[in-house]
Amino acid sequence: MDIDPPINLMFKKSEFGHASGLKIKASVEFNASDFNCRYALIENCFFEDNVEFKFVNFKTGIAFKNCTFKNNLTFYSCSANGYRDEHLVHYSVHFENCDVQYLNFWEANQFERGLRILRADEKKLIGAIRISGLQTEVNGILLEGLEMGLIELHSVTTNDLRFQKCNVTAFMRMSGNMFGSLSFIETVFSKDIFIWGGAIESSFVLNKNTFKDQVRIQKVENKGQFTISGDNFQKDLLIDLEDDGNFGKLSKVHISSAVFGNSFVLDGGGQKIDQITISCSQDISGSFEFANCLITSLTLSGNNHKANINFKHSHFKDLLIGS
């Protein structure tokens, strides 16, 4: 069905707002007065122009399923709170099998139960995800099975951000974010990654990923454990705790079964690191350099076959080397 606005009227009165099978050529703007329903579902719809949600309270949430957005899909200062069992979607904002050219979240969106984007159809694509100002309290942000381009995340506060089984074809930039945990799992990153500033409260996990370009992490306050397990870095992983006299933090580091095409470099900037553990085996290789680190406990275990491990201008309190 080809229609022009007002699609907005479909969400004004009913408890459950539902739009299905629509093809809309004109741009669409939803504002606060357009949503009176407790929950909304938009499915099997095609939008040729920009779609914007401005200052909308989605109540318990909104879901998009099997939709196509040929231009920008943007959320400005929107919110969602609460949960209803009958909707079977545990996230405030849920995307399933959607094709979106540019997905944007601007200016202090607050989604209590988080954001989930997943893909079942291999032909679907998220061209770019740009987030500046987003806060969640439960569930966090889950990106699962996606084909994605550009990723930019700034001033995000969430208990968990997870990339799982994705293919990211463009560069990724993160700055000033506050994560409970951050995880990259079984994901391919084709371009460079730069993570600057902000904090990670509990854990930063890299597991079975492929990084085809340089990964750089600078002045991040990582209060939990940083884990590298089964990852393939075709170029460099560079971690610098200092930037222009300001310092991040790295409490614990655990490295196992990782391949570095060029090098792993950690410059501690003279900061204390509580624990570094490297589990050597035939599955760990490349050049490792730890510089300017104050290490409370260092453990090197296993049999080192292909790794070149160096420490420069560093101090140790406890050192354990064993098999």
Side-chain angles (χ1 to χ4, degrees):
M1 181 190 307
D2 289 8
I3 70 169
D4 288 323
I7 183 178
N8 313 56
L9 297 177
M10 297 181 178
F11 306 101
K12 275 186 173 292
K13 296 180 180 180
S14 63
E15 180 80 1
F16 172 53
H18 184 211
S20 179
L22 305 179
K23 183 175 181 180
I24 300 177
K25 297 179 180 180
S27 61
V28 180
E29 180 179 317
F30 296 90
N31 57 50
S33 63
D34 292 322
F35 268 77
N36 293 318
C37 56
R38 299 295 301 170
Y39 182 78
L41 171 63
I42 299 176
E43 61 180 340
N44 303 312
C45 291
F46 185 98
F47 299 87
E48 289 193 3
D49 209 336
N50 294 325
V51 178
E52 297 181 346
F53 295 89
K54 291 187 173 182
F55 308 101
V56 174
N57 181 353
F58 295 114
K59 307 298 192 297
T60 58
I62 185 169
F64 302 87
K65 295 184 178 181
N66 302 308
C67 292
T68 297
F69 299 86
K70 297 298 289 183
N71 213 310
N72 287 281
L73 171 58
T74 305
F75 298 80
Y76 292 93
S77 297
C78 294
S79 62
N81 298 278
Y83 170 68
R84 299 188 62 151
D85 289 331
E86 62 266 34
H87 298 142
L88 302 178
V89 175
H90 296 173
Y91 287 78
S92 294
V93 179
H94 175 89
F95 289 87
E96 184 175 336
N97 210 33
C98 291
D99 194 336
V100 186
Q101 186 63 31
Y102 305 106
L103 179 57
N104 310 303
F105 297 86
W106 303 141
E107 297 184 10
N109 292 279
Q110 295 186 351
F111 302 137
E112 181 187 29
R113 300 191 65 85
L115 165 67
R116 186 185 189 190
I117 308 173
L118 64 90
R119 180 190 68 158
D121 186 341
E122 293 185 356
K123 296 180 181 179
K124 299 297 183 181
L125 170 69
I126 306 295
I129 297 178
R130 298 175 292 196
I131 304 177
S132 181
L134 173 61
Q135 182 175 349
T136 77
E137 296 180 19
V138 183
N139 294 329
I141 300 172
L142 174 59
L143 308 174
E144 182 179 0
L146 300 178
E147 185 85 15
M148 292 185 288
L150 167 74
I151 300 172
E152 294 183 335
L153 293 98
H154 310 290
S155 302
V156 174
T157 300
T158 183
N159 55 306
D160 179 43
L161 171 62
R162 178 177 299 187
F163 292 79
Q164 186 165 325
K165 295 184 178 180
C166 295
N167 184 27
V168 182
T169 60
F171 67 80
M172 180 164 71
R173 300 289 183 266
M174 297 185 185
S175 67
N177 301 298
M178 307 295 289
F179 301 131
S181 61
L182 175 60
S183 305
F184 301 159
I185 301 172
E186 297 182 54
T187 292
V188 177
F189 297 90
S190 296
K191 300 296 182 181
D192 65 294
I193 297 172
F194 183 35
I195 303 173
W196 183 90
I200 303 169
E201 288 292 329
S202 61
S203 64
F204 184 2
V205 175
L206 306 180
N207 181 229
K208 298 182 180 179
N209 303 286
T210 298
F211 301 93
K212 296 183 178 182
D213 209 332
Q214 184 183 89
V215 180
R216 186 181 178 197
I217 303 168
Q218 187 171 27
K219 203 179 77 68
V220 174
E221 190 174 0
N222 191 349
K223 301 176 183 179
Q225 178 163 296
F226 177 42
T227 301
I228 300 172
S229 178
D231 296 282
N232 184 349
F233 295 84
Q234 296 183 3
K235 292 190 177 180
D236 305 296
L237 171 57
L238 308 176
I239 303 174
D240 194 342
L241 296 188
E242 188 268 342
D243 180 31
D244 195 24
N246 298 304
F247 295 92
K249 180 180 178 64
L250 194 55
S251 296
K252 297 180 181 179
V253 181
H254 182 86
I255 302 173
S256 64
S257 58
V259 175
F260 292 90
N262 287 342
S263 60
F264 167 96
V265 178
L266 168 56
D267 190 330
Q271 301 300 295
K272 184 180 79 169
I273 299 174
D274 294 331
Q275 184 180 80
I276 296 177
T277 302
I278 303 175
S279 303
C280 296
S281 68
Q282 297 218 23
D283 296 322
I284 186 167
S285 64
S287 173
F288 295 78
E289 179 180 302
F290 299 83
N292 306 306
C293 297
L294 302 179
I295 303 168
T296 302
S297 175
L298 171 65
T299 300
L300 300 174
S301 64
N303 296 313
N304 182 17
H305 295 266
K306 295 177 285 187
N308 182 17
I309 304 172
N310 297 286
F311 295 87
K312 296 171 58 178
H313 309 295
S314 295
H315 298 269
F316 314 93
K317 183 177 180 180
D318 297 318
L319 173 61
L320 175 61
I321 300 177
S323 58

